[in-house]
Amino acid sequence: MSERRSKGARRSDATSPVAAWKEKEYLNGKTVDAGVVILRTSGCSHFHRDGCSMCGYNVESSCDVKPEDVTKQFATGVQKLGQVDFLKVYTSGSFLDESEVGKEQRETILKHCEDGGTRLLFESRPEYVTDETLGSVVSIHDDIEIALGLESSNDNVLRYSINKGFTFKDYERAAATAHSHGADVRTYVLLKPPFLSESEAIADSITTMRAAAKMSETLSLNPVNVQKGTLVEKLWKGWAYRSPWLWSVLEVIKASEGLSGKIVCDPTGGGKERGAHNCGKCDDVIIDSLKSYSITQDASRLGWPECGCSEIWRSVLELEDYVMGSCDLQRFFRKQRA
Ligand SMILES: [Zn+2]
């Protein structure tokens, strides 16, 4: 699951990017201008097989997209962004999968970044991170950051909760390959895949952050948000899933202090019922503080507001483990009252 997909108006024609926007990023000790372009491609290869339990990004893909459309989408996107120091190019799958981004299109994007002296970040599943693909990338542009959606370092969670279609070992191999070509690694760590209680989810994310830190220049903590058409949405509609509390997000970040590398977290849909949320009163303070922390790496910016809902969160942590199950009681009772 990618970070930061909530911004910008969505477009639906094949020759315009899905979205493009500017944001801030912490790079080499300072806060710089970054740009995001989301390209519409034929979609994630894993989605075409069966897909991950929480990922609904395939609604942004289309089998009708032609290679030359991707070139036009990129040109439109970067024109809108103007000058940036850091460019993030997302597809709904893997930039290195040639059936999504053709060789020619990939070269155009890399040359654009080489000419502008721009760091390029793209996402890929581990199976496409090979000596061959990376060799061809860094021969054109070598200021590269590869985002790997590890989600969890626990193979059981990867298999049974997420259906990720790869193991921790596959991720380790891809990260080592990236480093051997001089590329940096950004690892996405998921918070609260389905079938885990809130406290199990916190523990799984903390373990994953520690395991991934050894192989990452950046750790990106991504709390699950309930996306349309996913297994997670089905569970959520049946009261059997609640996206994580923002207290849990803070807990994972706090436990990860001191790990090597940069830590970023900008919860997609944060503060809303489908995204990571608390009671509604303390959400904005925490979300703003997470954003500020992400672009400065200054831990003193993390907000810990005084709010009664932290007691409810603590009770949920205990209660769920006692009943060995997870459900969204808060939302259930709120709807009953409404
Ligand atoms: Zn609260």
Side-chain angles (χ1 to χ4, degrees):
M1 175 177 277
S2 294
E3 57 187 26
R4 305 174 186 209
R5 289 293 187 88
S6 54
K7 299 152 195 129
R10 271 12 197 187
R11 298 288 301 261
S12 57
D13 56 303
T15 56
S16 297
V18 176
W21 69 83
K22 272 177 119 161
E23 60 185 27
K24 296 288 179 191
E25 179 77 25
Y26 187 79
L27 184 65
N28 301 328
K30 56 179 199 261
T31 307
V32 302
D33 285 322
V36 176
V37 179
I38 301 181
L39 300 174
R40 186 184 315 284
T41 69
S42 56
C44 180
S45 58
H46 182 56
F47 183 87
H48 294 307
R49 288 192 295 267
D50 38 15
C52 295
S53 62
M54 72 297 176
C55 181
Y57 287 136
N58 227 71
V59 294
E60 292 172 348
S61 307
S62 163
C63 295
D64 301 331
V65 174
K66 295 190 268 311
E68 57 270 28
D69 294 335
V70 174
T71 311
K72 283 183 204 150
Q73 290 175 33
F74 180 72
T76 311
V78 290
Q79 193 184 15
K80 184 181 164 190
L81 294 175
Q83 180 59 36
V84 290
D85 303 298
F86 191 169
L87 185 62
K88 304 173 184 181
V89 176
Y90 298 138
T91 68
S92 298
S94 299
F95 181 79
L96 297 174
D97 176 0
E98 255 185 55
S99 62
E100 277 195 66
V101 182
K103 198 163 174 286
E104 208 177 295
Q105 284 67 43
R106 196 196 297 167
E107 286 176 8
T108 304
I109 294 167
L110 289 163
K111 277 188 192 129
H112 171 89
C113 293
E114 178 64 16
D115 292 345
T118 313
R119 160 163 283 226
L120 173 67
L121 177 141
F122 57 76
E123 302 169 330
S124 182
R125 285 178 62 81
E127 59 262 40
Y128 302 109
V129 182
T130 64
D131 284 329
E132 195 194 343
T133 56
L134 278 194
S136 69
V137 164
V138 298
S139 69
I140 301 170
H141 182 55
D142 62 4
D143 192 4
I144 296 288
E145 189 168 328
I146 303 180
L148 298 169
L150 167 64
E151 324 298 7
S152 172
S153 57
N154 181 321
D155 283 342
N156 283 330
V157 172
L158 285 175
R159 184 167 180 190
Y160 298 110
S161 286
I162 305 176
N163 192 38
K164 193 75 194 184
F166 64 72
T167 63
F168 183 63
K169 253 196 162 47
D170 297 324
Y171 156 82
E172 283 185 304
R173 186 209 51 78
T177 305
H179 285 147
S180 74
H181 288 271
D184 280 353
V185 171
R186 173 174 300 218
T187 301
Y188 295 154
V189 175
L190 197 64
L191 175 60
K192 209 176 174 190
F195 314 120
L196 267 63
S197 69
E198 192 82 14
S199 70
E200 286 170 335
I202 293 169
D204 183 61
S205 293
I206 292 172
T207 307
T208 304
M209 294 284 273
R210 287 178 185 157
K214 296 176 190 133
M215 280 160 282
S216 311
E217 280 69 33
T218 301
L219 295 167
S220 171
L221 179 65
N222 299 307
V224 167
N225 66 311
V226 179
Q227 298 181 0
K228 288 200 164 61
T230 59
L231 173 69
V232 164
E233 189 188 47
K234 269 198 185 127
L235 294 166
W236 179 75
K237 282 185 173 167
W239 313 103
Y241 182 81
R242 186 208 192 275
S243 40
W245 289 74
L246 287 163
W247 297 121
S248 303
V249 177
L250 286 173
E251 193 80 4
V252 176
I253 301 267
K254 186 175 69 177
S256 305
E257 262 178 55
L259 292 177
S260 64
K262 176 169 85 174
I263 294 176
V264 296
C265 180
D266 185 0
T268 304
K272 301 200 175 75
E273 206 147 56
R274 283 176 177 256
H277 64 280
N278 280 353
C279 67
K281 285 183 221 130
C282 61
D283 298 46
D284 286 348
V285 175
I286 299 176
I287 292 165
D288 289 347
S289 82
L290 287 167
K291 285 182 186 167
S292 175
Y293 167 69
S294 298
I295 58 168
T296 60
Q297 296 300 291
D298 176 1
S300 72
R301 299 200 181 205
L302 286 170
W304 304 83
E306 293 255 337
C307 189
C309 77
S310 67
E311 288 309 311
I312 301 173
W313 169 70
R314 277 184 209 289
S315 305
V316 167
L317 293 183
E318 283 172 26
L319 190 71
E320 282 188 346
D321 285 347
Y322 182 67
V323 299
M324 290 194 288
S326 174
C327 61
D328 193 352
L329 281 176
Q330 245 191 330
R331 183 165 51 100
F332 178 77
F333 288 121
R334 201 164 52 241
K335 297 269 186 219
Q336 294 295 307
R337 281 200 302 270

PDB file of all heavy atoms in Angstrom, residues 253-286:
ATOM      1  N   ILE A 253       5.443   4.850  16.026  1.00  0.00           N
ATOM      2  CA  ILE A 253       6.491   5.846  15.743  1.00  0.00           C
ATOM      3  C   ILE A 253       7.408   6.009  16.965  1.00  0.00           C
ATOM      4  O   ILE A 253       8.629   6.034  16.846  1.00  0.00           O
ATOM      5  CB  ILE A 253       5.868   7.222  15.380  1.00  0.00           C
ATOM      6  CG1 ILE A 253       4.958   7.098  14.151  1.00  0.00           C
ATOM      7  CG2 ILE A 253       6.939   8.298  15.226  1.00  0.00           C
ATOM      8  CD1 ILE A 253       5.567   7.370  12.828  1.00  0.00           C
ATOM      9  N   LYS A 254       6.782   6.078  18.147  1.00  0.00           N
ATOM     10  CA  LYS A 254       7.561   6.257  19.376  1.00  0.00           C
ATOM     11  C   LYS A 254       8.526   5.085  19.569  1.00  0.00           C
ATOM     12  O   LYS A 254       9.700   5.273  19.897  1.00  0.00           O
ATOM     13  CB  LYS A 254       6.601   6.360  20.571  1.00  0.00           C
ATOM     14  CG  LYS A 254       7.282   6.689  21.884  1.00  0.00           C
ATOM     15  CD  LYS A 254       6.280   6.898  23.013  1.00  0.00           C
ATOM     16  CE  LYS A 254       5.607   5.588  23.392  1.00  0.00           C
ATOM     17  NZ  LYS A 254       4.663   5.692  24.521  1.00  0.00           N
ATOM     18  N   ALA A 255       8.026   3.866  19.336  1.00  0.00           N
ATOM     19  CA  ALA A 255       8.861   2.670  19.520  1.00  0.00           C
ATOM     20  C   ALA A 255       9.960   2.575  18.464  1.00  0.00           C
ATOM     21  O   ALA A 255      10.907   1.814  18.609  1.00  0.00           O
ATOM     22  CB  ALA A 255       7.986   1.425  19.467  1.00  0.00           C
ATOM     23  N   SER A 256       9.822   3.344  17.375  1.00  0.00           N
ATOM     24  CA  SER A 256      10.800   3.266  16.286  1.00  0.00           C
ATOM     25  C   SER A 256      11.862   4.348  16.371  1.00  0.00           C
ATOM     26  O   SER A 256      12.763   4.415  15.537  1.00  0.00           O
ATOM     27  CB  SER A 256      10.077   3.371  14.931  1.00  0.00           C
ATOM     28  OG  SER A 256       9.073   2.395  14.844  1.00  0.00           O
ATOM     29  N   GLU A 257      11.720   5.231  17.372  1.00  0.00           N
ATOM     30  CA  GLU A 257      12.720   6.291  17.545  1.00  0.00           C
ATOM     31  C   GLU A 257      14.093   5.665  17.739  1.00  0.00           C
ATOM     32  O   GLU A 257      14.235   4.662  18.426  1.00  0.00           O
ATOM     33  CB  GLU A 257      12.378   7.137  18.772  1.00  0.00           C
ATOM     34  CG  GLU A 257      11.652   8.421  18.433  1.00  0.00           C
ATOM     35  CD  GLU A 257      11.294   9.199  19.683  1.00  0.00           C
ATOM     36  OE1 GLU A 257      12.213   9.490  20.465  1.00  0.00           O
ATOM     37  OE2 GLU A 257      10.096   9.479  19.874  1.00  0.00           O
ATOM     38  N   GLY A 258      15.070   6.244  17.102  1.00  0.00           N
ATOM     39  CA  GLY A 258      16.427   5.722  17.260  1.00  0.00           C
ATOM     40  C   GLY A 258      16.814   4.731  16.174  1.00  0.00           C
ATOM     41  O   GLY A 258      17.982   4.370  16.061  1.00  0.00           O
ATOM     42  N   LEU A 259      15.849   4.277  15.395  1.00  0.00           N
ATOM     43  CA  LEU A 259      16.200   3.402  14.272  1.00  0.00           C
ATOM     44  C   LEU A 259      16.943   4.229  13.229  1.00  0.00           C
ATOM     45  O   LEU A 259      16.694   5.429  13.092  1.00  0.00           O
ATOM     46  CB  LEU A 259      14.947   2.787  13.633  1.00  0.00           C
ATOM     47  CG  LEU A 259      14.154   1.775  14.474  1.00  0.00           C
ATOM     48  CD1 LEU A 259      12.908   1.320  13.726  1.00  0.00           C
ATOM     49  CD2 LEU A 259      15.030   0.572  14.818  1.00  0.00           C
ATOM     50  N   SER A 260      17.827   3.572  12.486  1.00  0.00           N
ATOM     51  CA  SER A 260      18.570   4.335  11.476  1.00  0.00           C
ATOM     52  C   SER A 260      17.610   4.702  10.340  1.00  0.00           C
ATOM     53  O   SER A 260      16.663   3.986  10.047  1.00  0.00           O
ATOM     54  CB  SER A 260      19.717   3.499  10.933  1.00  0.00           C
ATOM     55  OG  SER A 260      19.212   2.371  10.271  1.00  0.00           O
ATOM     56  N   GLY A 261      17.861   5.820   9.720  1.00  0.00           N
ATOM     57  CA  GLY A 261      17.049   6.232   8.581  1.00  0.00           C
ATOM     58  C   GLY A 261      15.910   7.156   8.962  1.00  0.00           C
ATOM     59  O   GLY A 261      15.641   7.410  10.132  1.00  0.00           O
ATOM     60  N   LYS A 262      15.252   7.621   7.925  1.00  0.00           N
ATOM     61  CA  LYS A 262      14.178   8.595   8.068  1.00  0.00           C
ATOM     62  C   LYS A 262      12.862   7.849   8.264  1.00  0.00           C
ATOM     63  O   LYS A 262      12.677   6.770   7.714  1.00  0.00           O
ATOM     64  CB  LYS A 262      14.175   9.384   6.751  1.00  0.00           C
ATOM     65  CG  LYS A 262      13.108  10.390   6.571  1.00  0.00           C
ATOM     66  CD  LYS A 262      13.436  11.250   5.341  1.00  0.00           C
ATOM     67  CE  LYS A 262      12.964  10.652   4.048  1.00  0.00           C
ATOM     68  NZ  LYS A 262      13.154  11.518   2.885  1.00  0.00           N
ATOM     69  N   ILE A 263      11.964   8.436   9.068  1.00  0.00           N
ATOM     70  CA  ILE A 263      10.642   7.816   9.255  1.00  0.00           C
ATOM     71  C   ILE A 263       9.583   8.816   8.797  1.00  0.00           C
ATOM     72  O   ILE A 263       9.607   9.986   9.198  1.00  0.00           O
ATOM     73  CB  ILE A 263      10.401   7.436  10.733  1.00  0.00           C
ATOM     74  CG1 ILE A 263      11.388   6.334  11.147  1.00  0.00           C
ATOM     75  CG2 ILE A 263       8.960   6.978  10.948  1.00  0.00           C
ATOM     76  CD1 ILE A 263      11.322   5.944  12.609  1.00  0.00           C
ATOM     77  N   VAL A 264       8.687   8.367   7.932  1.00  0.00           N
ATOM     78  CA  VAL A 264       7.617   9.246   7.468  1.00  0.00           C
ATOM     79  C   VAL A 264       6.261   8.574   7.685  1.00  0.00           C
ATOM     80  O   VAL A 264       6.148   7.352   7.641  1.00  0.00           O
ATOM     81  CB  VAL A 264       7.781   9.656   5.981  1.00  0.00           C
ATOM     82  CG1 VAL A 264       9.038  10.472   5.781  1.00  0.00           C
ATOM     83  CG2 VAL A 264       7.785   8.447   5.055  1.00  0.00           C
ATOM     84  N   CYS A 265       5.256   9.415   7.918  1.00  0.00           N
ATOM     85  CA  CYS A 265       3.900   8.895   8.100  1.00  0.00           C
ATOM     86  C   CYS A 265       2.894  10.000   7.812  1.00  0.00           C
ATOM     87  O   CYS A 265       2.912  11.048   8.445  1.00  0.00           O
ATOM     88  CB  CYS A 265       3.714   8.391   9.532  1.00  0.00           C
ATOM     89  SG  CYS A 265       2.063   7.731   9.821  1.00  0.00           S
ATOM     90  N   ASP A 266       2.071   9.785   6.816  1.00  0.00           N
ATOM     91  CA  ASP A 266       1.036  10.748   6.438  1.00  0.00           C
ATOM     92  C   ASP A 266      -0.206   9.922   6.137  1.00  0.00           C
ATOM     93  O   ASP A 266      -0.446   9.545   4.992  1.00  0.00           O
ATOM     94  CB  ASP A 266       1.502  11.546   5.203  1.00  0.00           C
ATOM     95  CG  ASP A 266       0.521  12.637   4.826  1.00  0.00           C
ATOM     96  OD1 ASP A 266      -0.509  12.785   5.508  1.00  0.00           O
ATOM     97  OD2 ASP A 266       0.782  13.338   3.824  1.00  0.00           O
ATOM     98  N   PRO A 267      -0.991   9.599   7.178  1.00  0.00           N
ATOM     99  CA  PRO A 267      -2.064   8.606   7.009  1.00  0.00           C
ATOM    100  C   PRO A 267      -3.096   9.013   5.948  1.00  0.00           C
ATOM    101  O   PRO A 267      -3.726  10.060   6.064  1.00  0.00           O
ATOM    102  CB  PRO A 267      -2.730   8.554   8.384  1.00  0.00           C
ATOM    103  CG  PRO A 267      -1.749   9.135   9.331  1.00  0.00           C
ATOM    104  CD  PRO A 267      -0.950  10.127   8.540  1.00  0.00           C
ATOM    105  N   THR A 268      -3.249   8.173   4.931  1.00  0.00           N
ATOM    106  CA  THR A 268      -4.264   8.409   3.900  1.00  0.00           C
ATOM    107  C   THR A 268      -5.649   8.305   4.548  1.00  0.00           C
ATOM    108  O   THR A 268      -5.944   7.336   5.241  1.00  0.00           O
ATOM    109  CB  THR A 268      -4.135   7.350   2.778  1.00  0.00           C
ATOM    110  OG1 THR A 268      -2.808   7.396   2.272  1.00  0.00           O
ATOM    111  CG2 THR A 268      -5.105   7.626   1.646  1.00  0.00           C
ATOM    112  N   GLY A 269      -6.469   9.333   4.336  1.00  0.00           N
ATOM    113  CA  GLY A 269      -7.816   9.317   4.920  1.00  0.00           C
ATOM    114  C   GLY A 269      -7.796   9.492   6.431  1.00  0.00           C
ATOM    115  O   GLY A 269      -8.781   9.176   7.113  1.00  0.00           O
ATOM    116  N   GLY A 270      -6.692  10.010   6.973  1.00  0.00           N
ATOM    117  CA  GLY A 270      -6.554  10.176   8.428  1.00  0.00           C
ATOM    118  C   GLY A 270      -7.671  11.040   9.003  1.00  0.00           C
ATOM    119  O   GLY A 270      -8.060  12.043   8.414  1.00  0.00           O
ATOM    120  N   GLY A 271      -8.179  10.652  10.164  1.00  0.00           N
ATOM    121  CA  GLY A 271      -9.234  11.408  10.829  1.00  0.00           C
ATOM    122  C   GLY A 271     -10.630  11.057  10.338  1.00  0.00           C
ATOM    123  O   GLY A 271     -11.627  11.475  10.934  1.00  0.00           O
ATOM    124  N   LYS A 272     -10.707  10.293   9.253  1.00  0.00           N
ATOM    125  CA  LYS A 272     -12.022   9.896   8.731  1.00  0.00           C
ATOM    126  C   LYS A 272     -12.301   8.450   9.134  1.00  0.00           C
ATOM    127  O   LYS A 272     -11.393   7.701   9.502  1.00  0.00           O
ATOM    128  CB  LYS A 272     -12.051  10.024   7.208  1.00  0.00           C
ATOM    129  CG  LYS A 272     -11.750  11.431   6.730  1.00  0.00           C
ATOM    130  CD  LYS A 272     -12.269  11.633   5.309  1.00  0.00           C
ATOM    131  CE  LYS A 272     -12.084  13.077   4.866  1.00  0.00           C
ATOM    132  NZ  LYS A 272     -10.674  13.378   4.543  1.00  0.00           N
ATOM    133  N   GLU A 273     -13.576   8.060   9.028  1.00  0.00           N
ATOM    134  CA  GLU A 273     -13.963   6.734   9.499  1.00  0.00           C
ATOM    135  C   GLU A 273     -13.235   5.609   8.774  1.00  0.00           C
ATOM    136  O   GLU A 273     -12.936   4.567   9.337  1.00  0.00           O
ATOM    137  CB  GLU A 273     -15.469   6.553   9.317  1.00  0.00           C
ATOM    138  CG  GLU A 273     -16.067   5.572  10.271  1.00  0.00           C
ATOM    139  CD  GLU A 273     -17.497   5.957  10.641  1.00  0.00           C
ATOM    140  OE1 GLU A 273     -18.339   6.106   9.736  1.00  0.00           O
ATOM    141  OE2 GLU A 273     -17.752   6.111  11.839  1.00  0.00           O
ATOM    142  N   ARG A 274     -12.926   5.816   7.478  1.00  0.00           N
ATOM    143  CA  ARG A 274     -12.222   4.781   6.717  1.00  0.00           C
ATOM    144  C   ARG A 274     -10.703   4.809   6.939  1.00  0.00           C
ATOM    145  O   ARG A 274     -10.011   3.875   6.558  1.00  0.00           O
ATOM    146  CB  ARG A 274     -12.513   4.938   5.217  1.00  0.00           C
ATOM    147  CG  ARG A 274     -13.876   4.433   4.795  1.00  0.00           C
ATOM    148  CD  ARG A 274     -14.124   4.717   3.319  1.00  0.00           C
ATOM    149  NE  ARG A 274     -15.396   4.186   2.883  1.00  0.00           N
ATOM    150  CZ  ARG A 274     -15.549   3.062   2.153  1.00  0.00           C
ATOM    151  NH1 ARG A 274     -14.498   2.365   1.796  1.00  0.00           N
ATOM    152  NH2 ARG A 274     -16.740   2.640   1.802  1.00  0.00           N
ATOM    153  N   GLY A 275     -10.192   5.906   7.473  1.00  0.00           N
ATOM    154  CA  GLY A 275      -8.755   6.016   7.696  1.00  0.00           C
ATOM    155  C   GLY A 275      -8.413   5.884   9.178  1.00  0.00           C
ATOM    156  O   GLY A 275      -9.300   5.701  10.016  1.00  0.00           O
ATOM    157  N   ALA A 276      -7.114   5.992   9.507  1.00  0.00           N
ATOM    158  CA  ALA A 276      -6.714   5.964  10.914  1.00  0.00           C
ATOM    159  C   ALA A 276      -7.404   7.117  11.626  1.00  0.00           C
ATOM    160  O   ALA A 276      -7.387   8.247  11.150  1.00  0.00           O
ATOM    161  CB  ALA A 276      -5.195   6.102  11.030  1.00  0.00           C
ATOM    162  N   HIS A 277      -8.064   6.840  12.739  1.00  0.00           N
ATOM    163  CA  HIS A 277      -8.782   7.909  13.435  1.00  0.00           C
ATOM    164  C   HIS A 277      -8.902   7.622  14.927  1.00  0.00           C
ATOM    165  O   HIS A 277      -8.806   6.483  15.353  1.00  0.00           O
ATOM    166  CB  HIS A 277     -10.172   8.127  12.829  1.00  0.00           C
ATOM    167  CG  HIS A 277     -11.093   6.942  12.963  1.00  0.00           C
ATOM    168  ND1 HIS A 277     -11.015   5.865  12.112  1.00  0.00           N
ATOM    169  CD2 HIS A 277     -12.089   6.664  13.832  1.00  0.00           C
ATOM    170  CE1 HIS A 277     -11.946   4.974  12.462  1.00  0.00           C
ATOM    171  NE2 HIS A 277     -12.601   5.426  13.501  1.00  0.00           N
ATOM    172  N   ASN A 278      -9.125   8.727  15.677  1.00  0.00           N
ATOM    173  CA  ASN A 278      -9.438   8.641  17.103  1.00  0.00           C
ATOM    174  C   ASN A 278     -10.890   9.020  17.313  1.00  0.00           C
ATOM    175  O   ASN A 278     -11.757   8.508  16.611  1.00  0.00           O
ATOM    176  CB  ASN A 278      -8.501   9.563  17.902  1.00  0.00           C
ATOM    177  CG  ASN A 278      -7.126   8.926  18.125  1.00  0.00           C
ATOM    178  OD1 ASN A 278      -6.920   7.768  17.802  1.00  0.00           O
ATOM    179  ND2 ASN A 278      -6.211   9.685  18.687  1.00  0.00           N
ATOM    180  N   CYS A 279     -11.112   9.980  18.223  1.00  0.00           N
ATOM    181  CA  CYS A 279     -12.500  10.310  18.575  1.00  0.00           C
ATOM    182  C   CYS A 279     -13.094  11.403  17.692  1.00  0.00           C
ATOM    183  O   CYS A 279     -14.290  11.659  17.723  1.00  0.00           O
ATOM    184  CB  CYS A 279     -12.556  10.768  20.031  1.00  0.00           C
ATOM    185  SG  CYS A 279     -11.696  12.334  20.299  1.00  0.00           S
ATOM    186  N   GLY A 280     -12.254  12.072  16.917  1.00  0.00           N
ATOM    187  CA  GLY A 280     -12.763  13.180  16.100  1.00  0.00           C
ATOM    188  C   GLY A 280     -12.311  14.525  16.643  1.00  0.00           C
ATOM    189  O   GLY A 280     -12.177  15.487  15.906  1.00  0.00           O
ATOM    190  N   LYS A 281     -12.060  14.582  17.966  1.00  0.00           N
ATOM    191  CA  LYS A 281     -11.649  15.867  18.562  1.00  0.00           C
ATOM    192  C   LYS A 281     -10.130  16.030  18.534  1.00  0.00           C
ATOM    193  O   LYS A 281      -9.622  17.127  18.368  1.00  0.00           O
ATOM    194  CB  LYS A 281     -12.128  15.955  20.019  1.00  0.00           C
ATOM    195  CG  LYS A 281     -13.616  16.229  20.151  1.00  0.00           C
ATOM    196  CD  LYS A 281     -13.991  16.379  21.634  1.00  0.00           C
ATOM    197  CE  LYS A 281     -15.315  15.669  21.899  1.00  0.00           C
ATOM    198  NZ  LYS A 281     -15.294  14.756  23.026  1.00  0.00           N
ATOM    199  N   CYS A 282      -9.416  14.944  18.724  1.00  0.00           N
ATOM    200  CA  CYS A 282      -7.955  15.049  18.840  1.00  0.00           C
ATOM    201  C   CYS A 282      -7.238  14.639  17.548  1.00  0.00           C
ATOM    202  O   CYS A 282      -6.006  14.678  17.472  1.00  0.00           O
ATOM    203  CB  CYS A 282      -7.459  14.197  20.001  1.00  0.00           C
ATOM    204  SG  CYS A 282      -7.822  12.449  19.831  1.00  0.00           S
ATOM    205  N   ASP A 283      -8.008  14.237  16.520  1.00  0.00           N
ATOM    206  CA  ASP A 283      -7.405  13.687  15.303  1.00  0.00           C
ATOM    207  C   ASP A 283      -6.502  14.680  14.563  1.00  0.00           C
ATOM    208  O   ASP A 283      -5.366  14.348  14.203  1.00  0.00           O
ATOM    209  CB  ASP A 283      -8.494  13.210  14.334  1.00  0.00           C
ATOM    210  CG  ASP A 283      -9.338  12.093  14.923  1.00  0.00           C
ATOM    211  OD1 ASP A 283      -9.741  12.229  16.093  1.00  0.00           O
ATOM    212  OD2 ASP A 283      -9.595  11.104  14.232  1.00  0.00           O
ATOM    213  N   ASP A 284      -7.026  15.896  14.341  1.00  0.00           N
ATOM    214  CA  ASP A 284      -6.296  16.857  13.504  1.00  0.00           C
ATOM    215  C   ASP A 284      -4.932  17.212  14.090  1.00  0.00           C
ATOM    216  O   ASP A 284      -3.948  17.336  13.366  1.00  0.00           O
ATOM    217  CB  ASP A 284      -7.119  18.137  13.301  1.00  0.00           C
ATOM    218  CG  ASP A 284      -8.267  17.889  12.335  1.00  0.00           C
ATOM    219  OD1 ASP A 284      -8.274  16.821  11.679  1.00  0.00           O
ATOM    220  OD2 ASP A 284      -9.165  18.755  12.246  1.00  0.00           O
ATOM    221  N   VAL A 285      -4.906  17.369  15.409  1.00  0.00           N
ATOM    222  CA  VAL A 285      -3.641  17.734  16.071  1.00  0.00           C
ATOM    223  C   VAL A 285      -2.596  16.657  15.810  1.00  0.00           C
ATOM    224  O   VAL A 285      -1.434  16.943  15.477  1.00  0.00           O
ATOM    225  CB  VAL A 285      -3.854  17.896  17.601  1.00  0.00           C
ATOM    226  CG1 VAL A 285      -2.536  18.150  18.308  1.00  0.00           C
ATOM    227  CG2 VAL A 285      -4.836  19.013  17.875  1.00  0.00           C
ATOM    228  N   ILE A 286      -3.015  15.396  15.931  1.00  0.00           N
ATOM    229  CA  ILE A 286      -2.063  14.294  15.757  1.00  0.00           C
ATOM    230  C   ILE A 286      -1.638  14.182  14.289  1.00  0.00           C
ATOM    231  O   ILE A 286      -0.446  14.025  13.996  1.00  0.00           O
ATOM    232  CB  ILE A 286      -2.667  12.959  16.256  1.00  0.00           C
ATOM    233  CG1 ILE A 286      -2.982  13.069  17.751  1.00  0.00           C
ATOM    234  CG2 ILE A 286      -1.711  11.802  15.989  1.00  0.00           C
ATOM    235  CD1 ILE A 286      -3.671  11.854  18.354  1.00  0.00           C
TER     236      ILE A 286
END
